[in-house]
Amino acid sequence: MMQDVAVAASTSALSPIALFLQADIVVKSVMIGLLLASVWTWTIILSGSMALGRALKSSKGFEADFWKSEDIDKFYEGPGRQDIPAAKVFSAGVAEWRRSVRTGKPVDRDGTRMRLANAMGAAAGAEIDRLSDRLNILATVGSVAPFVGLFGTVWGIMRSFTDIAASQNTSLGVVAPGIAEALFATALGLFAAIPAVIAYNRLLHKISKIEGQLHRFGDAIHMTLSRELERA
């Protein structure tokens, strides 16, 4: 009976909450920082995934609507004003087209083509930069969190050795709590880092798909307007 009570007490002493409460201020600070980093990471993962999903879906829908339209100018004044990546690329191209062609002067075809490509490329790049704005946070957490957790582990083990030296007792009962709380810091570091690294790669893949789609759409618009130039 006494042995069962001792085992239960030992188990409760090694629970995550107990390990946190037993840790000193340095290890506690490390644990709190890693937990906050984990919450921040999951916030970025969820919001970023939804934003990229919406951007990809809306851009595909916009492109489909564009190819169904028969009047570029009318489409520009309507759906072309939407705040979505494909619409921004389209609007940049049409705006540059209007500035270059509707001047009352002879049209510089080669110069216009170059400006169209630059305008739409810049618009696509700006949209990709906006969509990938917080990916650097995931990369930072993924690379730094394990080392922060390792720092907490090293500090906790140093404290455990200090306690062993002070008590002159090397039994497992004396050593285990301190080492357990130290290793718990490493576990929290991995808990924050692993989702961040996986999400970073997945979101980067989605951004690459959107970037490719925008550039292909921009090239298609460029070809359409280039054909119009031949009639100008």
Side-chain angles (χ1 to χ4, degrees):
M1 183 68 176
M2 293 296 294
Q3 185 177 3
D4 293 341
V5 173
V7 170
S10 176
T11 302
S12 63
L14 297 179
S15 67
I17 296 176
L19 292 175
F20 172 78
L21 295 176
Q22 293 167 9
D24 68 357
I25 186 63
V26 174
V27 180
K28 279 182 180 177
S29 299
V30 169
M31 291 179 179
I32 292 173
L34 290 172
L35 286 173
L36 292 176
S38 182
V39 172
W40 194 12
T41 294
W42 278 105
T43 301
I44 294 173
I45 291 171
L46 295 176
S47 62
S49 296
M50 290 188 290
L52 292 178
R54 286 194 302 267
L56 186 59
K57 183 178 180 180
S58 61
S59 291
K60 286 182 177 179
F62 180 88
E63 186 174 351
D65 292 339
F66 169 75
W67 292 118
K68 293 176 184 176
S69 67
E70 298 178 355
D71 188 331
I72 290 180
D73 288 323
K74 186 176 180 181
F75 188 79
Y76 173 73
E77 297 299 336
R81 301 291 188 177
Q82 297 179 66
D83 187 19
I84 57 179
K88 294 294 184 65
V89 173
F90 170 76
S91 296
V94 174
E96 181 55 43
W97 162 266
R98 290 182 169 183
R99 284 192 295 267
S100 299
V101 174
R102 300 179 180 180
T103 60
K105 300 178 181 179
V107 177
D108 178 5
R109 290 182 173 85
D110 291 336
T112 299
R113 289 188 179 97
M114 184 177 297
R115 289 190 295 271
L116 283 172
N118 290 339
M120 289 188 289
E127 288 302 300
I128 294 302
D129 288 342
R130 181 180 65 82
L131 291 171
S132 60
D133 182 49
R134 294 192 293 177
L135 278 187
N136 63 316
I137 298 174
L138 296 181
T140 301
V141 172
S143 59
V144 172
F147 294 102
V148 175
L150 184 60
F151 168 74
T153 297
V154 171
W155 184 273
I157 290 175
M158 289 171 56
R159 176 172 169 253
S160 295
F161 283 138
T162 302
D163 293 342
I164 290 171
S167 64
Q168 299 293 319
N169 188 344
T170 59
S171 67
L172 187 61
V174 174
V175 177
I179 293 180
E181 72 189 41
L183 294 175
F184 185 52
T186 297
L188 287 178
L190 296 175
F191 180 74
I194 292 173
V197 172
I198 295 173
Y200 174 80
N201 290 319
R202 291 299 304 162
L203 295 180
L204 191 63
H205 176 68
K206 283 188 177 181
I207 287 175
S208 296
K209 287 181 64 176
I210 296 173
E211 184 176 18
Q213 181 195 20
L214 292 180
H215 284 300
R216 287 191 297 272
F217 183 47
D219 290 342
I221 295 172
H222 188 275
M223 287 188 292
T224 301
L225 295 179
S226 291
R227 285 192 292 270
E228 293 294 324
L229 274 176
E230 300 300 324
R231 306 188 188 100

